[in-house]
């Protein structure tokens, strides 16, 4: 956040504090109040987009812990979201669990499964680890489609009940907003604190140089598995929210392209930055919606079949170009650019 020129921290506790001044507290309280009143005056379409942002943020924040902070590449985050979604759906549909009990159960089960798939990280890394997590991306949806189809519905959509408390049902965008957004804010707050803790510093040490980290006494096995556990835990939370928000799920919703999009959001926002993930998710999702809206207009002058094919491939092509531009010109992402802008205004007009 912005701080006036000349204001500095006198203690270490103030230096690591998330909110550092009274003005920041006032701005945050006002901002949260305005944000929580969105359902009162925003349309269902806009709230749908905000809810989608919240669920995506949870999944990408988990992946950022694994990839951005620990340096372990994963191409299977969408598959772990699938585990969370189907676990929560099965618990609520077949065992009559409440959503508020199914969500933590789904998160823990997903975390355990993610840790199992992360076990190869003890022996391999880099490209080979990416291939190991890619196996989860193909294996998990295949199991949902072909194993116990009487429970999961196979390739057909599985209908999921809406969350409810007593007689009140969260069955529209306005009401479920008050479930998704508080959980999203809590997840970001917990991640922000985790990255400043001893565990977070161990993750950074492993990312920078795992051999040096091991020499300093960091248990690589423990912390790598812990990173996979946290990453998958967040994916399970996102999957559970997705299932009860969409009300119908199928394996096609959790494909490899979604995992690639998650990685792209981290690259655009800034690897290893909590606020960068917010920027990356917002940037990519707004871009995706914009392409869907303006794509038909851009291709309207082409023949019908060619226009349809071009519009279908426009989003992946533009997404690839954006990733390429960021890797070349802004490899540290939007978070780094925002820090530069803040630094400029913090010292203005005394730039020297």
């Amino acid at each position: 956040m912005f701080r006036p020129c000349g204001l500095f921290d006198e203690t270490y506790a103030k230096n690591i504090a998330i909110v550092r001044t009274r003005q920041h507290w006032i701005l945050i309280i006002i901002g949260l109040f305005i944000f929580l009143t969105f359902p009162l005056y925003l349309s269902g379409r806009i709230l749908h987009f905000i809810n989608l942002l919240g669920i995506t943020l949870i999944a990408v924040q988990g992946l950022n812990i694994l990839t951005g902070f620990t340096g372990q590449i994963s191409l299977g985050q969408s598959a772990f979201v699938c585990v969370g979604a189907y676990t929560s759906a099965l618990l609520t549909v077949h065992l009559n669990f409440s959503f508020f009990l199914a969500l933590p159960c789904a998160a823990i089960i997903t975390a355990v499964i993610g840790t199992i798939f992360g076990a190869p990280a003890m022996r391999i890394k880099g490209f080979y680890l990416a291939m190991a997590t890619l196996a989860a991306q193909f294996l998990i949806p295949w199991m949902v489609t072909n194993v116990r189809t009487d429970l999961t519905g196979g390739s057909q959509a599985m209908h999921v009940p809406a969350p409810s408390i007593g007689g009140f049902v969260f069955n529209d965008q306005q009401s479920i907003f008050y479930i998704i957004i508080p959980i999203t804010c809590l997840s970001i707050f917990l991640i922000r604190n985790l990255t400043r803790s001893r565990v977070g510093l161990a993750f950074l040490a492993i990312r920078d140089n795992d051999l040096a980290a091991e020499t300093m006494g960091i248990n690589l096995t423990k912390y790598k598995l812990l990173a996979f556990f946290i990453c998958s835990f967040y994916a399970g939370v996102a999957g559970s929210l997705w299932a009860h928000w969409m009300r119908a799920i199928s394996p096609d919703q959790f494909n490899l392209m979604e995992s690639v999009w998650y990685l792209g959001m981290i690259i655009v926002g800034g690897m290893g930055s909590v606020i960068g993930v917010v920027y990356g998710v917002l940037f990519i999702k707004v871009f995706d919606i914009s392409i869907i809206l303006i794509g038909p207009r851009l291709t309207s002058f082409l023949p019908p079949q060619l226009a349809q094919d071009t519009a279908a491939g426009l989003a992946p092509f533009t997404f690839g170009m954006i990733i390429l531009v960021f890797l070349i010109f802004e490899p540290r992402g939007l978070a780094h650019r925002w820090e530069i802008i803040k630094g400029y205004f913090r010292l203005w007009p005394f730039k020297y």
Side-chain angles (χ1 to χ4, degrees):
M1 283 189 169
F2 290 113
R3 288 193 296 171
C5 180
L7 183 64
F8 56 91
D9 300 317
E10 299 175 351
T11 64
Y12 179 70
K14 289 184 178 180
N15 184 59
I16 66 173
I18 297 177
V19 184
R20 300 183 180 183
T21 66
R22 181 178 298 177
Q23 290 79 6
H24 291 168
W25 277 111
I26 294 174
L27 290 174
I28 288 176
I29 292 173
I30 294 175
L32 286 176
F33 176 79
I34 296 174
F35 191 67
L36 292 176
T37 59
F38 278 177
L40 301 179
Y41 49 84
L42 292 183
S43 66
R45 179 176 297 182
I46 297 177
L47 290 175
H48 179 278
F49 179 68
I50 295 175
N51 290 332
L52 175 61
L53 283 179
I55 295 173
T56 307
L57 265 173
I58 296 173
V60 181
Q61 287 288 3
L63 183 60
N64 191 39
I65 283 292
L66 181 64
T67 302
F69 282 94
T70 317
Q72 309 297 300
I73 301 175
S74 174
L75 291 174
Q77 187 72 347
S78 180
F80 299 130
V81 174
C82 177
V83 174
Y86 272 92
T87 301
S88 185
L90 291 172
L91 291 175
T92 53
V93 172
H94 297 290
L95 297 180
N96 295 320
F97 275 41
S98 165
F99 162 77
F100 298 98
L101 179 59
L103 186 145
C105 291
I108 293 173
I109 292 173
T110 306
V112 172
I113 294 176
T115 305
I116 293 173
F117 278 98
M122 305 306 100
R123 300 292 299 273
I124 59 178
K125 57 184 178 180
F127 172 78
Y128 299 99
L129 179 59
M131 292 299 100
T133 56
L134 184 62
Q137 183 60 62
F138 288 106
L139 182 60
I140 291 174
W142 181 89
M143 293 182 65
V144 171
T145 305
N146 297 280
V147 179
R148 293 307 304 267
T149 57
D150 56 319
L151 298 177
T152 64
S155 59
Q156 303 299 317
M158 180 180 182
H159 296 280
V160 185
S164 61
I165 298 179
F168 183 80
V169 181
F170 298 83
N171 58 358
D172 55 24
Q173 300 297 333
Q174 286 77 11
S175 57
I176 204 168
F177 174 92
Y178 290 107
I179 293 179
I180 295 175
I181 299 305
I183 293 176
T184 302
C185 294
L186 178 62
S187 67
I188 295 174
F189 177 78
L190 293 177
I191 286 288
R192 184 69 181 88
N193 280 278
L194 175 67
T195 57
R196 302 179 304 150
S197 67
R198 181 176 181 177
V199 173
L201 295 177
F203 288 161
L204 293 176
I206 294 173
R207 180 194 67 183
D208 294 339
N209 192 318
D210 56 352
L211 294 179
E214 188 174 24
T215 303
M216 291 188 296
I218 295 176
N219 189 327
L220 297 186
T221 300
K222 171 186 173 181
Y223 285 105
K224 284 184 178 181
L225 289 179
L226 181 59
F228 271 97
F229 184 91
I230 297 173
C231 172
S232 303
F233 184 92
Y234 270 67
V237 173
S240 178
L241 291 173
W242 174 271
H244 295 273
W245 173 62
M246 289 293 292
R247 306 283 301 280
I249 55 175
S250 66
D252 295 338
Q253 296 172 341
F254 311 100
N255 51 45
L256 175 61
M257 192 60 196
E258 283 298 311
S259 294
V260 175
W261 279 83
Y262 291 156
L263 280 175
M265 292 171 187
I266 294 178
I267 293 172
V268 170
M271 283 196 176
S273 170
V274 176
I275 192 65
V277 170
V278 178
Y279 300 152
V281 170
L282 183 60
F283 182 90
I284 293 297
K285 284 299 180 182
V286 170
F287 150 78
D288 190 29
I289 296 296
S290 301
I291 290 296
I292 293 175
L293 293 177
I294 68 176
R297 298 181 182 179
L298 293 176
T299 58
S300 59
F301 61 92
L302 298 175
Q305 185 59 44
L306 181 59
Q308 182 179 357
D309 296 339
T310 304
L314 187 60
F317 172 78
T318 314
F319 173 71
M321 292 300 298
I322 288 176
I323 298 301
L324 187 62
V325 168
F326 270 90
L327 288 175
I328 295 175
F329 298 104
E330 193 58 82
R332 297 172 66 179
L334 294 174
H336 177 245
R337 183 54 50 186
W338 176 238
E339 290 297 326
I340 294 175
I341 295 173
K342 286 198 302 181
Y344 173 84
F345 283 102
R346 186 179 294 125
L347 299 178
W348 186 86
F350 308 106
K351 294 187 293 182
Y352 54 86

